[in-house]
């Protein structure tokens, strides 16, 4: 798996998000849970929406703590802080736009962070689905020296008492460095 997977609408990349979010173990492989295979897609979509909401609200709280004054709209908020205008947009609040990220952060009108939200049922290591569109976008940013703009936020237990389990910046670099495990499940040939 030295090269980026060939282009195909059927490609799925699975990433191992370990429970120790500050240090990726690198080589241990975990198998998919059979329980995940039985969750209906409608439930998965609801869990994903809720996980995105958890991250968006967490970011909103963070920015309110920074200076207190935040202008809130329906699917975004913005703040003027240290001579910068920061805007955080929840892209999928009303409809899944099928973008390679769920939340976008701008500073002075320039995109500085693309957040893809993933959810897990527990802190234990689990595979999470990453679409080809998400992986390809992360790679495009990496190729132009902007890989740190793309990250995964992991929400633990999105259907119960949720917590943010970690932020994983620049997944392509971590994958190339051997600090992130990716496994292609199928290709359209």
């Amino acid at each position: 798996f030295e090269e980026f997977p060939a282009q195909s609408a059927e490609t799925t990349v699975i990433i191992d998000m370990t429970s120790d979010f500050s240090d990726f173990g690198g080589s241990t492989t975990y198998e998919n849970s059979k329980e995940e295979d039985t969750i209906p897609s409608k439930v998965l979509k609801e869990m994903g929406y809720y996980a995105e909401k958890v991250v968006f609200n967490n970011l909103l709280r963070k920015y309110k703590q920074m200076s207190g004054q935040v202008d809130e709209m329906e699917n975004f908020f913005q703040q003027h802080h240290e001579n910068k205008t920061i805007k955080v947009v929840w892209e999928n609040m009303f409809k899944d736009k099928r973008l390679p990220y769920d939340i976008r952060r701008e500073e002075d009108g320039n995109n500085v962070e693309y957040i893809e939200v993933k959810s897990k049922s527990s802190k234990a290591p689990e595979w999470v689905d990453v679409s080809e569109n998400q992986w390809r976008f992360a790679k495009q940013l990496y190729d132009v020296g902007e890989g740190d703009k793309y990250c995964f936020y992991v929400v633990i237990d999105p259907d119960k008492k949720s917590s943010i389990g970690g932020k994983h910046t620049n997944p392509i670099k971590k994958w190339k460095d051997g600090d992130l495990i990716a496994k292609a499940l199928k290709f359209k040939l």
Side-chain angles (χ1 to χ4, degrees), residues 72-178:
E72 295 181 59
M73 303 303 279
E74 286 188 78
N75 72 323
F76 74 91
F77 63 85
Q78 69 181 26
Q79 176 184 65
H80 303 286
H81 183 72
E82 297 179 358
N83 297 322
K84 289 188 245 180
T85 300
I86 299 166
K87 182 176 180 181
V88 177
V89 181
W90 181 5
E91 297 289 358
N92 300 321
M93 179 178 230
F94 304 113
K95 178 184 176 191
D96 186 353
K97 294 181 180 179
R98 311 298 293 166
L99 296 170
Y101 52 88
D102 302 311
I103 297 170
R104 177 176 46 87
R105 188 170 61 85
E106 301 175 3
E107 287 183 9
D108 295 328
N110 298 309
N111 292 322
V112 296
E113 186 173 46
Y114 301 93
I115 300 168
E116 174 57 28
V117 179
K118 298 298 177 188
S119 60
K120 297 178 10 156
S121 60
S122 73
K123 289 182 180 180
E126 284 180 37
W127 294 100
V128 296
D129 290 332
V130 175
S131 73
E132 177 184 0
N133 195 26
Q134 293 160 358
W135 194 248
R136 189 166 299 286
F137 185 69
K139 182 162 185 323
Q140 287 171 348
L141 289 172
Y142 175 84
D143 287 346
V144 296
E146 296 184 347
D148 286 341
K149 286 186 175 183
Y150 195 84
C151 65
F152 295 118
Y153 272 69
V154 179
V155 175
I156 308 295
D157 207 7
D159 60 341
K160 296 182 182 162
K161 186 177 180 183
S162 298
S163 64
I164 295 182
K167 177 181 176 181
H168 306 277
T169 303
N170 203 343
I172 300 296
K173 180 181 184 318
K174 288 183 178 175
W175 171 67
K176 286 182 175 268
D177 291 347

Side-chain angles (χ1 to χ4, degrees), residues 24-81:
F24 286 86
S27 63
T28 308
T29 303
Y30 300 92
E31 296 301 319
N32 281 333
S33 163
K34 295 297 179 197
E35 180 183 323
E36 284 182 359
D37 297 341
T38 63
I39 300 174
S41 81
K42 181 179 178 184
V43 173
L44 288 174
K45 284 182 183 181
E46 289 170 1
M47 288 170 57
Y49 180 87
Y50 183 73
E52 291 174 23
K53 184 177 181 178
V54 167
V55 172
F56 184 78
N57 288 335
N58 191 308
L59 290 169
L60 177 59
R61 276 191 300 279
K62 172 186 162 188
Y63 282 102
K64 282 182 177 179
Q65 290 172 351
M66 282 174 41
S67 74
Q69 179 60 35
V70 175
D71 301 322
E72 295 181 59
M73 303 303 279
E74 286 188 78
N75 72 323
F76 74 91
F77 63 85
Q78 69 181 26
Q79 176 184 65
H80 303 286
H81 183 72

Side-chain angles (χ1 to χ4, degrees), residues 17-24 120 154 156 165-168:
M17 299 291 191
T18 63
S19 59
D20 180 3
F21 295 105
S22 61
D23 178 26
F24 286 86
K120 297 178 10 156
V154 179
I156 308 295
K167 177 181 176 181
H168 306 277

